[in-house]
Amino acid sequence: MSFTDRSDAPIYAELIKELGDAPAEARRTAEETKRELERTMNFNGMPYEFS
C-alpha cells in the first residue's frame, strides 16, 4: 500500500496531488538506473546482482 492510499494521511495525499510523489519518483529512477547499469556493466551476459 502506498502512502497516498492511506485515509489517515489526508495532508500527505493533498501534498502529493499538488507537488508530486518525490519518493516514488526517486524509486522509479533508481530502478531504471539499476537496470541500465546492469545492461551496461555486464560484459559476460550474466545478470549482475548489486548487494
Side-chain angles (χ1 to χ4, degrees), residues 22-48:
E25 186 176 333
R27 274 190 301 279
R28 282 190 298 272
T29 301
E31 289 168 2
E32 287 177 22
T33 302
K34 180 180 179 256
R35 284 191 299 271
E36 186 175 330
L37 277 171
E38 287 173 344
R39 285 192 307 270
T40 303
M41 301 301 288
N42 183 9
F43 296 108
N44 63 0
M46 301 292 291
Y48 183 81

